[in-house]
């Protein structure tokens, strides 16, 4: 991966942790780029998941309406995401006996997934506990490792945040972006308990663990991304410190209702312009500013020799109305 991995460790949000956790799609505080398994390994993982498939659909079995969930979250802005909603998911595995899971909504674009997961207590498990200072600890948020895979694709950056919390239910928002194209492919949302610690007190998990919940859906949607061919050279000061006069070349930009994709040379350098949480946003034609709340980058695309930067929005947008990316005092024209 690259220098973006620790970018947000150097940024102090202006909002409180409580306010930040309730943003509809939260900033990915620590961006992790997990190395994709070989195609042989990926095939084994997919086969292992398929063996335990159940015949229950997460949405239909419980009367959930994916569009309705997004309307509750985003209000009028949900209309921007309606054509990105995917078919209802199928539960593949459910062996966690302390929690019950419901995938209540999911949408996708070519390089990402937006999902909403409800978690209920089972067998006396406490979803919320108090720490030594009397603050709430939302246990599913810390005790679970949640990620999304596709057929031969490993998630490059996954952000999870709390939308709602109570003793009865915790609702999590999940956003995954990847350099690979997932449109039309199967995606598997997985939640695994992390209940082991190493000698340093860190959580461990087993990628092949049987103790997990999994649901599968296809990134089958009707929305179209808008692609712009570009030839933009940028040279700028690195405001995070270190190397000065960073360079980036943007060769193309692709816009969806969920995220904007930049491709070119050293495009990951662009985020070095960011001074703080609220200094990066996309500008719409009507002057509205929509915050960037997730960042995923790849230092290199195999066989293509280029880099990518994927920026997720706080709320869905109409891609036809996205005119520019603004980072601090720099404006990059998109349209």
């Amino acid at each position: 991966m690259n220098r973006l991995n620790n970018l947000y460790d150097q940024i102090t949000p202006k909002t409180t942790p409580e306010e930040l956790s309730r943003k509809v799609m939260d900033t990915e505080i620590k961006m992790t780029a997990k190395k994709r398994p070989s195609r042989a390994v990926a095939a084994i993982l997919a086969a292992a998941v398929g063996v335990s498939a159940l015949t229950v659909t997460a949405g239909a079995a419980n009367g959930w309406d994916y569009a309705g969930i997004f309307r509750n979250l985003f209000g009028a802005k949900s209309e921007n995401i309606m054509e990105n909603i995917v078919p209802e998911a199928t539960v593949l595995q459910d062996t966690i006996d302390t929690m019950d899971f419901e995938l209540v909504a999911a949408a996708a674009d070519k390089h990402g997934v937006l999902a909403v997961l409800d978690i209920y207590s089972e067998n006396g498990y406490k979803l919320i506990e108090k720490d030594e200072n009397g603050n709430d600890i939302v246990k599913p948020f810390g005790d679970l490792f949640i990620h999304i895979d596709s057929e031969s694709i490993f998630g490059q950056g996954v952000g999870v945040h709390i939308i709602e919390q109570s003793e009865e239910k915790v609702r999590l928002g999940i956003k995954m972006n990847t350099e690979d194209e997932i449109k039309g492919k199967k995606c598997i949302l997985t939640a695994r308990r992390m209940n082991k610690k190493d000698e340093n007190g860190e959580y461990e998990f087993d990628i092949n663990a049987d103790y997990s919940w999994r649901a599968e859906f296809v990134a089958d949607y009707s929305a179209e991304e808008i692609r712009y061919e570009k030839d933009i050279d940028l040279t700028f000061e690195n405001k995070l410190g270190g190397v000065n006069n960073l360079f980036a070349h943007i060769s193309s930009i692709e816009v969806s209702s969920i995220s904007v994709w930049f491709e070119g040379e050293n495009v990951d350098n662009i985020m070095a312009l960011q001074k703080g949480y609220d200094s990066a946003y996309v500008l719409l034609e009507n002057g509205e500013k929509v915050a960037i709340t997730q960042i995923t980058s790849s230092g290199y695309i195999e066989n293509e020799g280029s880099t990518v930067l994927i920026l997720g929005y706080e709320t869905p947008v109409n891609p036809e109305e996205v005119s520019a990316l603004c980072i601090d005092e720099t404006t990059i024209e998109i349209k």
Side-chain angles (χ1 to χ4, degrees):
M1 196 54 174
N2 51 53
R3 64 187 64 82
L4 275 182
N5 286 352
N6 298 315
L7 175 63
Y8 275 94
D9 291 338
Q10 304 175 55
I11 295 173
T12 302
K14 292 184 178 180
T15 50
T16 67
E18 291 77 13
E19 292 169 333
L20 193 60
S21 70
R22 287 172 174 80
K23 283 184 175 290
V24 177
M25 278 297 141
D26 197 8
T27 302
E28 185 182 355
I29 298 299
K30 183 178 181 182
M31 287 158 290
T32 57
K34 301 176 180 64
K35 185 177 180 182
R36 202 177 329 167
S38 68
R39 295 192 179 273
V41 172
I44 292 171
L45 292 176
V49 169
V51 170
S52 59
L54 305 177
T55 58
V56 180
T57 56
N62 299 282
W64 286 109
D65 174 8
Y66 283 13
I69 294 294
F70 285 128
R71 288 191 183 99
N72 288 338
L73 290 177
F74 300 119
K77 294 181 182 295
S78 65
E79 295 306 313
N80 297 323
I81 206 175
M82 289 296 116
E83 293 184 358
N84 293 87
I85 293 176
V86 303
E88 290 175 330
T90 301
V91 175
L92 301 174
Q93 183 176 1
D94 186 3
T95 55
I96 298 181
D97 58 10
T98 56
M99 287 173 270
D100 185 33
F101 298 82
E102 306 268 3
L103 180 59
V104 296
D109 64 8
K110 189 183 292 185
H111 297 283
V113 171
L114 191 65
V116 181
L117 182 65
D118 283 354
I119 302 175
Y120 300 87
S121 172
E122 278 193 331
N123 298 320
Y125 180 81
K126 291 185 177 181
L127 295 177
I128 299 176
E129 290 186 344
K130 299 288 186 182
D131 65 13
E132 58 186 12
N133 297 316
N135 299 316
D136 285 344
I137 299 176
V138 181
K139 293 187 67 178
F141 187 66
D143 291 355
L144 293 172
F145 174 72
I146 299 174
H147 64 104
I148 299 177
D149 297 338
S150 189
E151 289 171 332
S152 59
I153 297 169
F154 213 53
Q156 297 297 301
V158 178
V160 181
H161 84 287
I162 302 165
I163 297 174
E164 298 176 12
Q165 65 184 65
S166 71
E167 294 182 355
E168 292 74 32
K169 182 184 77 174
V170 171
R171 172 166 287 182
L172 298 178
I174 301 153
K175 181 71 183 290
M176 181 274 278
N177 284 326
T178 173
E179 67 200 49
D180 299 296
E181 184 174 333
I182 64 172
K183 187 171 186 178
K185 296 184 179 180
K186 293 179 181 178
C187 298
I188 299 170
L189 175 60
T190 300
R192 292 186 175 90
R193 277 193 59 188
M194 298 190 298
N195 55 2
K196 297 189 298 181
K197 292 187 178 182
D198 63 18
E199 59 184 8
N200 297 317
E202 298 295 329
Y203 280 108
E204 297 177 327
F205 63 92
D206 180 358
I207 196 66
N208 294 310
D210 292 329
Y211 201 56
S212 66
W213 175 89
R214 294 170 179 166
E216 176 187 88
F217 58 90
V218 179
D220 183 11
Y221 59 92
S222 59
E224 294 290 337
E225 290 80 12
I226 300 175
R227 185 177 179 86
Y228 302 97
E229 300 302 327
K230 295 289 184 177
D231 186 13
I232 301 174
D233 287 327
L234 297 169
T235 302
F236 44 83
E237 179 186 357
N238 181 2
K239 297 186 178 181
L240 295 178
V243 179
N244 291 322
N245 300 321
L246 294 175
F247 169 79
H249 174 77
I250 301 172
S251 58
S252 65
I253 303 174
E254 198 165 85
V255 185
S256 81
S257 66
I258 298 173
S259 64
V260 57
W261 155 289
F262 293 84
E263 187 170 347
E265 182 181 351
N266 298 323
V267 292
D268 53 312
N269 281 339
I270 293 172
M271 297 313 297
L273 290 165
Q274 189 171 6
K275 283 185 174 179
Y277 170 76
D278 56 358
S279 69
Y281 56 89
V282 289
L283 184 66
L284 305 187
E285 290 179 333
N286 63 3
E288 181 181 355
K289 300 175 182 179
V290 181
I292 296 299
T293 56
Q294 191 197 29
I295 302 172
T296 302
S297 74
S298 173
Y300 183 76
I301 301 180
E302 186 178 2
N303 299 324
E304 293 186 22
S306 59
T307 60
V308 298
L309 177 69
I310 311 172
L311 306 177
Y313 319 126
E314 182 176 29
T315 57
V317 304
N318 181 343
E320 295 182 356
E321 297 178 356
V322 176
S323 63
L325 170 68
C326 301
I327 307 177
D328 194 32
E329 299 175 356
T330 298
T331 299
I332 301 171
E333 299 295 335
I334 293 177
K335 194 170 184 180

